[in-house]
Amino acid sequence: GLTGGIGSGKTAASDHLATHGIAVVDADVAARQVVAPGQPALARIAEMFGRQLLLADGSLDRRALREIVFGNPEQLRRLEAITHPAIEAELQRQLQAAASPYAVLVSPLLLETRQHRMAQRILLIDAPETLQLERASQRDNSSPTQIQAIIAQQMARAEKRKRAHDILLNDGSLA
């Protein structure tokens, strides 16, 4: 399992592993797949939160859904009750289909969810919060306040460091 906070360098690390033929299963990609048009999770979300969350092409209006669940723990729990089992099933399917000697499960919430149980080892890509803010703000064109809110929702960096088997401090250049 490969994890780290926003802007820590998870994607750079997993992209590097992929160049060496290692299967990479990305929880963020799986999360988008399970709410794609025609998927049961999307239908359940529309049922529970309203059909106004469906765009004209049948896809999920992620921004509108974020507005409903952000800062509302009860609504977030309702959403996660739909999405987390679907994501876990998709991750299991992709991991079992991996053809490389081992697979890497990349997830920003690996330790916050049950996903860590799918991994034999946990690699934390770690970076100081100031660097996370800088990288994520540049990459996502988001304000530092928005990035700070995301960091605040994730497990504390010190706790991730305690739970990881291996830690890669990513506070320098990509090389």
Side-chain angles (χ1 to χ4, degrees):
L2 188 154
T3 193
I6 187 170
S8 63
K10 294 179 299 297
T11 301
S14 64
D15 286 352
H16 178 73
L17 292 169
T19 66
H20 292 283
I22 304 305
V24 173
V25 176
D26 190 316
D28 285 343
V29 172
R32 286 189 292 280
Q33 290 172 328
V34 302
V35 295
Q39 294 299 312
L42 179 59
R44 291 191 56 217
I45 290 169
E47 231 174 72
M48 184 170 288
F49 295 99
R51 298 201 56 78
Q52 76 277 4
L53 291 177
L54 299 179
L55 298 170
D57 66 358
S59 65
L60 179 62
D61 185 341
R62 294 174 182 283
R63 180 173 294 204
L65 182 58
R66 264 193 309 273
E67 289 176 14
I68 292 170
V69 301
F70 190 76
N72 187 326
E74 178 57 33
Q75 294 289 56
L76 182 59
R77 276 190 293 277
R78 291 174 67 205
L79 175 62
E80 289 174 346
I82 296 169
T83 57
H84 283 193
I87 293 167
E88 188 171 324
E90 179 60 21
L91 292 174
Q92 287 286 2
R93 186 193 69 71
Q94 289 183 31
L95 288 168
Q96 289 171 359
S100 58
Y102 63 91
V104 176
L105 170 58
V106 181
S107 176
L109 300 177
L110 185 78
L111 297 169
E112 289 89 340
T113 64
R114 298 178 351 178
Q115 294 171 5
H116 67 278
R117 292 192 244 172
M118 291 185 244
Q120 293 172 331
R121 291 193 68 79
I122 297 170
L123 169 61
L124 172 65
I125 308 298
D126 191 31
E129 191 173 307
T130 54
L131 197 50
Q132 288 179 268
L133 283 166
E134 180 184 315
R135 289 175 180 163
S137 294
Q138 289 174 356
R139 179 194 68 204
D140 301 340
N141 198 25
S142 298
S143 74
T145 304
Q146 291 170 312
I147 303 300
Q148 194 71 47
I150 293 168
I151 291 171
Q153 289 183 332
Q154 294 179 344
M155 182 181 287
R157 188 175 163 214
E159 183 61 25
K160 286 180 186 177
R161 291 178 67 87
K162 285 182 199 171
R163 295 184 60 190
H165 296 102
D166 306 290
I167 301 169
L168 188 148
L169 181 58
N170 184 18
D171 63 352
S173 70
L174 187 57

